Amino acid sequence: MADFDRYLARDDADPAREGVVYRQGAVWLTDDEFAELVEEIEAAIARRNRTAPSDDRTRHIISFVVVPDNASGPDAGTDPS
């Protein structure tokens, strides 16, 4: 979060031009399915982590946050309206 705050505090910050992305989604997963998902995400990032700095590359910070939703039942997390 501090990295994001520092970015937004810059006078030249331009989220749309610079490809700043925020995505959120909810999935129903077993513990095994969740572990598999984490491995897939980590593998995707690791493949890109092998590149070296260069004049035509911009460093991007990728943050992965997982928040368990402990609400129960099939309608948990849905909008009642």
Side-chain angles (χ1 to χ4, degrees), residues 27 38-39 43 57 59 64 81:
V27 293
V38 170
E39 287 178 12
R57 286 197 168 112
R59 182 174 180 243
F64 177 51
S81 58

Side-chain angles (χ1 to χ4, degrees), residues 47-80:
R47 284 192 302 273
R48 301 289 186 221
N49 200 24
R50 297 183 189 128
T51 57
S54 67
D55 289 341
D56 64 336
R57 286 197 168 112
T58 301
R59 182 174 180 243
H60 297 272
I61 297 172
I62 299 171
S63 301
F64 177 51
V65 178
V66 176
V67 179
D69 181 5
N70 291 329
S72 61
D75 296 327
T78 60
D79 184 1

Side-chain angles (χ1 to χ4, degrees), residues 3-78:
D3 290 322
F4 190 61
D5 288 339
R6 274 191 298 277
Y7 168 76
L8 290 177
R10 290 180 10 207
D11 290 337
D12 65 340
D14 187 347
R17 180 180 55 79
E18 295 179 307
V20 174
V21 177
Y22 173 82
R23 299 287 187 267
Q24 183 175 6
V27 293
W28 292 88
L29 302 172
T30 66
D31 289 346
D32 288 342
E33 291 167 334
F34 176 71
E36 184 178 303
L37 174 62
V38 170
E39 287 178 12
E40 291 169 3
I41 293 168
E42 289 175 343
I45 293 170
R47 284 192 302 273
R48 301 289 186 221
N49 200 24
R50 297 183 189 128
T51 57
S54 67
D55 289 341
D56 64 336
R57 286 197 168 112
T58 301
R59 182 174 180 243
H60 297 272
I61 297 172
I62 299 171
S63 301
F64 177 51
V65 178
V66 176
V67 179
D69 181 5
N70 291 329
S72 61
D75 296 327
T78 60

